[in-house]
Amino acid sequence: MGNLTQAEIFGAEPDAGKAQKILPDGSGLHLRVGKPAKKGKPAPRYWQARIKWQGKWLWVGIGSAHDMTAEEARRQNFNLRADAAQRTRCSDICASG
């Protein structure tokens, strides 16, 4: 899986009849794209990390694609994964992102 391009990040829309679309960026980082709340408004786009911790899969929010670049999200994903291995509580992982 390769990294998403700017065109893919800001051009993606949920499929017809779906509330959201999840696009993998690689290394457990995903872009979640929702439907706009109002016509003419930009669709919400959020970076999320999918992390396996103590045998369970967690979704951890990283930030809005409107407020951070893909490179910043990838860097935070890398740091979050390195930090998660040392955490003993789930709430510590979610708060560290």
Side-chain angles (χ1 to χ4, degrees):
M1 247 170 259
N3 294 338
L4 295 171
T5 65
Q6 284 295 103
E8 292 169 324
I9 292 168
F10 290 102
E13 296 293 335
D15 295 331
K18 302 287 184 177
Q20 62 185 356
K21 185 175 202 167
I22 299 174
L23 302 169
D25 184 68
S27 299
L29 181 65
H30 294 78
L31 180 69
R32 186 178 298 257
V33 180
K35 287 196 175 191
K38 292 183 178 182
K39 202 169 195 168
K41 295 285 185 180
R45 298 166 195 284
Y46 296 99
W47 292 108
Q48 292 186 317
R50 182 96 161 121
I51 297 174
K52 192 167 191 176
W53 178 78
Q54 294 188 354
K56 297 179 183 176
W57 286 101
L58 306 173
W59 283 105
V60 181
I62 293 179
S64 170
H66 298 287
D67 297 333
M68 66 175 28
T69 66
E71 281 303 315
E72 290 171 320
R74 291 175 189 128
R75 191 170 30 257
Q76 284 194 20
N77 179 53
F78 177 82
N79 293 337
L80 181 66
R81 291 177 159 314
D83 190 47
Q86 301 172 2
R87 300 294 179 154
T88 57
R89 294 186 334 201
C90 179
S91 59
D92 291 340
I93 296 169
C94 296
S96 69

